[in-house]
Amino acid sequence: MILAETTTTLALMPKWFNPEYLLTQFGAYVIIGLCLVIFIESSVFPVLPGDSLLFTAGLFVAQGSIHAPLWLVCLVVTVAALLGNVVGYFIGYKAGPALFKRPDSRFFKQEYVDKTHAFLEKHGPKAVILARFVPFVRTFITWIAGIGRMDAKKYFTYTVIGGILWAAGITALGHLLGNISFIKNNIEAIFILIVLVSVLPIVIEWARNRRGRAAAEVAPMESDAEVTQRIPRIDR
């Protein structure tokens, strides 16, 4: 049975951002269109419904709207995601020298490259894998890895792991839950929940960094006060 068309539109989202609408518009070329969107979002254009599109593709497979076995859909979307990361990495790799050619540039500084490289060398595996599940970040991390000259072997190893977990995992999850009545009847709410869960790590990291900056601003004032108290008074 084909997934019933929802009666409302995703809140505050353009029509093309609705994954069900996108997949139905692709028609007979749904798998090609699905892979194209995943490739583009993984490489150059972050404003696309990657998570919800994969989840919906799994739903469509479960209900027969996509006439292909689940293993094949999981395979092709994973390949599309990995190819997108390869392209994104080399975009950053090639564009990096031009962007950071002038250390004293107004918008770009060489220190940004150094910090990015150090961050990815320290947190590379975790950053590359977890970034897959965060909208926008999964696109930008590929550029940053290239700009920061992250070791290609390390990057591609972990981007394969992240790509499989993300693309195949979310598609399989959509297939698993596709025949649950609650999911089918509340599909828009599920899409919004996926987006909220996806951006949650960004919110947590932002809050953590904000607390860290606040603590760093307070710390010097406290140390100055302590130093003042330790200075012996001269009463005469």
Side-chain angles (χ1 to χ4, degrees), residues 36-163:
L36 184 61
V37 172
I38 295 303
F39 170 81
I40 293 173
E41 198 212 19
S42 298
S43 58
V44 295
F45 191 67
V47 189
L48 288 171
D51 296 316
S52 55
L53 192 68
L54 291 170
F55 189 87
T56 306
L59 288 171
F60 273 44
V61 172
Q63 301 191 0
S65 299
I66 293 180
H67 303 289
L70 177 64
W71 69 265
L72 179 60
V73 176
C74 288
L75 176 63
V76 295
V77 294
T78 299
V79 171
L82 297 181
L83 289 177
N85 272 185
V86 171
V87 171
Y89 178 87
F90 283 107
I91 287 175
Y93 194 92
K94 294 296 184 180
L99 292 174
F100 295 92
K101 188 174 182 179
R102 295 185 301 169
D104 297 326
S105 173
R106 179 179 178 182
F107 298 104
F108 300 101
K109 298 182 182 297
Q110 184 62 43
E111 65 178 293
Y112 298 162
V113 180
D114 298 333
K115 289 180 179 178
T116 298
H117 184 270
F119 173 80
L120 288 175
E121 285 297 315
K122 182 178 180 180
H123 304 288
K126 181 175 69 173
V128 172
I129 293 174
L130 294 181
R132 276 290 190 181
F133 297 88
V134 184
F136 296 94
V137 175
R138 62 172 155 263
T139 304
F140 295 138
I141 194 70
T142 63
W143 305 348
I144 293 173
I147 292 172
R149 296 298 194 268
M150 182 179 180
D151 178 72
K153 184 177 180 180
K154 179 185 292 186
Y155 170 77
F156 290 123
T157 296
Y158 289 101
T159 201
V160 166
I161 297 173

Side-chain angles (χ1 to χ4, degrees), residues 207-223:
R208 186 177 300 168
N209 289 337
R210 185 174 181 180
R211 287 197 302 269
R213 287 195 300 268
E217 292 174 357
V218 172
M221 293 188 293
E222 292 178 345
S223 60

